[in-house]
Amino acid sequence: MKKISVIVPCYNEQESLQLLYQELCRLMKAESKYEWEILFVNDGSKDDTLQVIQSLSAQDASVSYIDLSRNYGKETAMLAGFDYAQGDACVIMDADLQHPPMVVRDMLRKWEEGYDDVYGKRTTRAKESWLRKCLSYAFYYILQKSAKVDVLPNVGDFRLLDRKCIDALRQMRETDRYTKGLYCLIGFRKTYVEFETQDRVSGSSSWTLRGLISLAIEGIMSFTIAPLRLATWVGAITATGAFLYALYFLIKTLVVGDPVHGFPTLVILILFFGGAQLLALGVLGEYVGRIFHESKHRPNYFVQTYYSAKK
Ligand code: UDP
Ligand code: MG
């Protein structure tokens, strides 16, 4: 019998889990020709999420869990899920029921047809501010124009991955993770199923605008060196401009013999080049910072407990 693991990263989800579990039970009943494993990854929740998970796993042998030593963020929690999942295919889904479990049935059909990576494509973005929509649009635009891999917009982490993909993803141990890009990077046969995003059943999204912006920067910085290239171009153009301008002044002074005119020009130039240099340094710094993080080769996460009824 083929085994399917459902990986659910959870951070402060005590209210949603019971409901999610019920939905997953419906799914498992409908697809009883597979053996199922529900793998909860407790990402250092501060509420009673762990207790809820433990009571579920006490009732049901198909529920297993990983309790991480602290909050690492969803990207790392997913990696932990990939490492411990036992299935021939894995489904990743959010704990807040924004990803309707019944859609997994369509994903399974596609998987049986021979696809390795079946992703859920959102047909609507439920309740998001226009600012968030615009930023998200801009982000995908920049990423697609600059990175060599095609990162798909409106596609989240809700997907079914074959064992091949899981093994590929597990080999990428970078600390600054941008899993959405990694899915595209690994390739394999991909297809999609459409689904409508639901509103969270309870609580609020743990993403702040700041968090999203930093994830966006992460996405761009970890997939492309286009900003460095841009800094080089801006540098080259301004330097050429500056050189020509300097030449003009030199000639003018030699020919006309100019006294101390042009103070504003001087100030503007100093500020302009100062700014351009700082900007380029900042971009450079972002990459150096990433080299610093990766070069330490620290483990991605630590596990407090791992529990599985069937090993
Ligand atoms: N999550 C996590 N660690 C975190 C933040 C979130 O494991 O530090 C989980 C969370 O419990 C949920 C999923 O990641 O299952 C998506 O989080 P959320 O709903 O807050 O994000 P959104 O749906 O707005 O992208
Ligand atoms: Mg959510």
Side-chain angles (χ1 to χ4, degrees), residues 8-11 13 41 43 71-74 77 93-96 98 132 200 204-207:
V8 188
C10 310
Y11 179 59
E13 300 280 5
V41 184
D43 187 19
N71 178 253
Y72 289 91
K74 186 186 175 188
M93 87 170 56
D94 283 5
D96 53 15
Q98 281 187 310
R132 229 173 124 158
R200 284 186 74 95
S204 59
S205 170
S206 44
W207 288 108

Short mmCIF file of all heavy atoms in Angstrom, two decimals, residues 8-11 13 41 43 71-74 77 93-96 98 132 200 204-207, ligand 1:
data_model
loop_
_atom_site.label_atom_id
_atom_site.label_comp_id
_atom_site.label_asym_id
_atom_site.label_seq_id
_atom_site.Cartn_x
_atom_site.Cartn_y
_atom_site.Cartn_z
N VAL A 8 2.12 19.11 8.42
CA VAL A 8 1.43 20.34 8.84
C VAL A 8 2.31 21.13 9.82
O VAL A 8 2.44 20.75 10.97
CB VAL A 8 0.09 20.01 9.54
CG1 VAL A 8 -0.70 21.28 9.79
CG2 VAL A 8 -0.73 19.02 8.75
N PRO A 9 2.94 22.21 9.36
CA PRO A 9 3.68 23.06 10.31
C PRO A 9 2.69 23.85 11.16
O PRO A 9 1.72 24.39 10.63
CB PRO A 9 4.49 23.99 9.41
CG PRO A 9 3.84 23.96 8.10
CD PRO A 9 3.02 22.72 7.99
N CYS A 10 2.90 23.88 12.46
CA CYS A 10 1.94 24.53 13.35
C CYS A 10 2.63 25.52 14.27
O CYS A 10 3.58 25.16 14.96
CB CYS A 10 1.25 23.53 14.26
SG CYS A 10 0.58 22.14 13.41
N TYR A 11 2.16 26.71 14.28
CA TYR A 11 2.65 27.70 15.24
C TYR A 11 1.45 28.38 15.86
O TYR A 11 0.71 29.08 15.17
CB TYR A 11 3.57 28.69 14.54
CG TYR A 11 4.09 29.76 15.46
CD1 TYR A 11 4.85 29.42 16.58
CD2 TYR A 11 3.84 31.10 15.20
CE1 TYR A 11 5.33 30.40 17.42
CE2 TYR A 11 4.33 32.09 16.03
CZ TYR A 11 5.07 31.73 17.15
OH TYR A 11 5.55 32.71 17.98
N GLU A 13 -1.54 27.12 16.96
CA GLU A 13 -2.73 26.75 16.19
C GLU A 13 -3.70 25.91 17.03
O GLU A 13 -4.42 25.08 16.49
CB GLU A 13 -2.34 25.95 14.94
CG GLU A 13 -1.42 26.67 13.97
CD GLU A 13 -2.16 27.65 13.07
OE1 GLU A 13 -3.37 27.85 13.25
OE2 GLU A 13 -1.50 28.23 12.19
N VAL A 41 4.23 19.36 12.75
CA VAL A 41 5.51 19.91 13.19
C VAL A 41 5.20 21.09 14.10
O VAL A 41 4.73 22.14 13.64
CB VAL A 41 6.36 20.39 12.00
CG1 VAL A 41 7.72 20.85 12.49
CG2 VAL A 41 6.50 19.31 10.96
N ASP A 43 6.15 24.11 15.79
CA ASP A 43 7.26 25.04 15.61
C ASP A 43 7.35 25.98 16.82
O ASP A 43 7.14 27.18 16.69
CB ASP A 43 7.02 25.81 14.31
CG ASP A 43 8.19 26.70 13.94
OD1 ASP A 43 9.29 26.47 14.46
OD2 ASP A 43 8.00 27.62 13.13
N ASN A 71 10.85 28.22 18.11
CA ASN A 71 10.23 28.67 16.88
C ASN A 71 11.31 28.96 15.83
O ASN A 71 12.18 29.80 16.06
CB ASN A 71 9.37 29.91 17.15
CG ASN A 71 8.75 30.43 15.88
OD1 ASN A 71 9.16 31.47 15.36
ND2 ASN A 71 7.79 29.72 15.35
N TYR A 72 11.26 28.25 14.71
CA TYR A 72 12.25 28.45 13.66
C TYR A 72 11.66 29.13 12.44
O TYR A 72 12.38 29.50 11.53
CB TYR A 72 12.84 27.11 13.21
CG TYR A 72 13.75 26.46 14.22
CD1 TYR A 72 13.25 25.58 15.16
CD2 TYR A 72 15.12 26.72 14.22
CE1 TYR A 72 14.09 24.97 16.08
CE2 TYR A 72 15.96 26.12 15.14
CZ TYR A 72 15.43 25.24 16.06
OH TYR A 72 16.26 24.65 16.96
N GLY A 73 10.34 29.23 12.39
CA GLY A 73 9.69 29.77 11.19
C GLY A 73 9.22 28.64 10.28
O GLY A 73 9.75 27.53 10.33
N LYS A 74 8.23 28.97 9.46
CA LYS A 74 7.58 27.93 8.66
C LYS A 74 8.53 27.21 7.70
O LYS A 74 8.44 26.00 7.51
CB LYS A 74 6.43 28.57 7.86
CG LYS A 74 5.62 27.56 7.12
CD LYS A 74 4.58 28.21 6.23
CE LYS A 74 3.88 27.14 5.42
NZ LYS A 74 2.99 27.69 4.40
N ALA A 77 10.38 24.68 9.61
CA ALA A 77 9.46 23.65 10.09
C ALA A 77 9.13 22.67 8.96
O ALA A 77 9.03 21.47 9.18
CB ALA A 77 8.19 24.30 10.63
N MET A 93 0.49 21.20 4.07
CA MET A 93 -0.64 22.10 4.18
C MET A 93 -0.61 22.90 5.46
O MET A 93 0.00 22.50 6.44
CB MET A 93 -1.95 21.32 3.98
CG MET A 93 -2.56 20.70 5.17
SD MET A 93 -4.21 20.08 4.82
CE MET A 93 -4.00 18.99 3.49
N ASP A 94 -1.25 24.06 5.43
CA ASP A 94 -1.29 24.92 6.60
C ASP A 94 -2.27 24.37 7.63
O ASP A 94 -3.23 23.70 7.27
CB ASP A 94 -1.75 26.33 6.22
CG ASP A 94 -0.65 27.12 5.56
OD1 ASP A 94 0.43 26.53 5.31
OD2 ASP A 94 -0.86 28.32 5.28
N ALA A 95 -2.03 24.71 8.88
CA ALA A 95 -2.89 24.20 9.95
C ALA A 95 -4.20 24.96 10.04
O ALA A 95 -5.15 24.51 10.66
CB ALA A 95 -2.14 24.30 11.27
N ASP A 96 -4.27 26.14 9.40
CA ASP A 96 -5.43 27.01 9.64
C ASP A 96 -6.60 26.76 8.69
O ASP A 96 -7.51 27.58 8.60
CB ASP A 96 -5.00 28.47 9.55
CG ASP A 96 -4.26 28.76 8.24
OD1 ASP A 96 -4.35 27.92 7.32
OD2 ASP A 96 -3.62 29.80 8.15
N GLN A 98 -6.74 27.00 5.60
CA GLN A 98 -6.78 27.83 4.40
C GLN A 98 -6.57 26.95 3.17
O GLN A 98 -6.90 27.35 2.06
CB GLN A 98 -5.71 28.91 4.45
CG GLN A 98 -6.12 30.08 5.32
CD GLN A 98 -5.13 31.21 5.24
OE1 GLN A 98 -3.93 31.01 5.40
NE2 GLN A 98 -5.62 32.41 5.01
N ARG A 132 -0.94 44.62 0.17
CA ARG A 132 -0.31 43.31 0.16
C ARG A 132 -0.37 42.69 -1.23
O ARG A 132 0.59 42.07 -1.69
CB ARG A 132 -1.03 42.41 1.17
CG ARG A 132 -0.05 41.70 2.08
CD ARG A 132 -0.76 40.98 3.16
NE ARG A 132 -0.35 39.58 3.10
CZ ARG A 132 -0.46 38.76 4.13
NH1 ARG A 132 -0.96 39.19 5.26
NH2 ARG A 132 -0.07 37.52 4.04
N ARG A 200 -8.79 32.10 7.43
CA ARG A 200 -8.31 31.33 8.58
C ARG A 200 -9.49 30.97 9.48
O ARG A 200 -10.36 31.80 9.70
CB ARG A 200 -7.34 32.17 9.41
CG ARG A 200 -5.97 32.32 8.84
CD ARG A 200 -5.10 33.05 9.84
NE ARG A 200 -4.74 32.18 10.93
CZ ARG A 200 -3.63 31.49 10.99
NH1 ARG A 200 -2.77 31.54 10.03
NH2 ARG A 200 -3.36 30.72 12.02
N SER A 204 -4.89 34.88 13.77
CA SER A 204 -4.60 35.70 12.61
C SER A 204 -3.28 35.24 12.02
O SER A 204 -2.51 34.57 12.68
CB SER A 204 -4.52 37.17 13.01
OG SER A 204 -3.52 37.31 13.97
N SER A 205 -3.07 35.61 10.78
CA SER A 205 -1.84 35.20 10.12
C SER A 205 -0.65 35.69 10.91
O SER A 205 -0.63 36.82 11.39
CB SER A 205 -1.79 35.77 8.72
OG SER A 205 -0.52 35.56 8.18
N SER A 206 0.35 34.83 11.04
CA SER A 206 1.51 35.24 11.82
C SER A 206 2.47 36.06 10.99
O SER A 206 3.49 36.51 11.47
CB SER A 206 2.20 34.01 12.40
OG SER A 206 2.29 33.02 11.41
N TRP A 207 2.13 36.28 9.71
CA TRP A 207 2.99 37.10 8.88
C TRP A 207 2.68 38.57 9.10
O TRP A 207 1.56 39.01 8.92
CB TRP A 207 2.79 36.79 7.40
CG TRP A 207 3.34 35.48 7.01
CD1 TRP A 207 2.63 34.35 6.71
CD2 TRP A 207 4.71 35.12 6.90
NE1 TRP A 207 3.49 33.34 6.41
CE2 TRP A 207 4.77 33.77 6.52
CE3 TRP A 207 5.92 35.82 7.09
CZ2 TRP A 207 5.97 33.10 6.32
CZ3 TRP A 207 7.10 35.15 6.89
CH2 TRP A 207 7.12 33.81 6.51
N1 UDP B 1 3.83 28.60 10.86
C1 UDP B 1 4.92 27.95 11.43
N2 UDP B 1 5.91 28.71 12.03
C2 UDP B 1 5.86 30.06 12.07
C3 UDP B 1 4.77 30.72 11.44
C4 UDP B 1 3.78 29.95 10.84
O1 UDP B 1 4.99 26.73 11.41
O2 UDP B 1 6.76 30.67 12.63
C5 UDP B 1 2.76 27.79 10.23
C6 UDP B 1 1.36 28.15 10.70
O3 UDP B 1 1.00 27.45 11.85
C7 UDP B 1 0.51 27.72 9.52
C8 UDP B 1 1.43 27.98 8.33
O4 UDP B 1 2.75 28.04 8.86
O5 UDP B 1 0.18 26.35 9.55
C9 UDP B 1 1.07 29.27 7.60
O6 UDP B 1 1.08 30.35 8.50
P1 UDP B 1 0.07 31.55 8.39
O7 UDP B 1 -1.32 31.03 8.25
O8 UDP B 1 0.34 32.41 9.56
O9 UDP B 1 0.55 32.25 7.07
P2 UDP B 1 -0.31 32.65 5.77
O10 UDP B 1 -1.37 31.60 5.57
O11 UDP B 1 -0.84 33.97 6.05
O12 UDP B 1 0.72 32.63 4.67
#
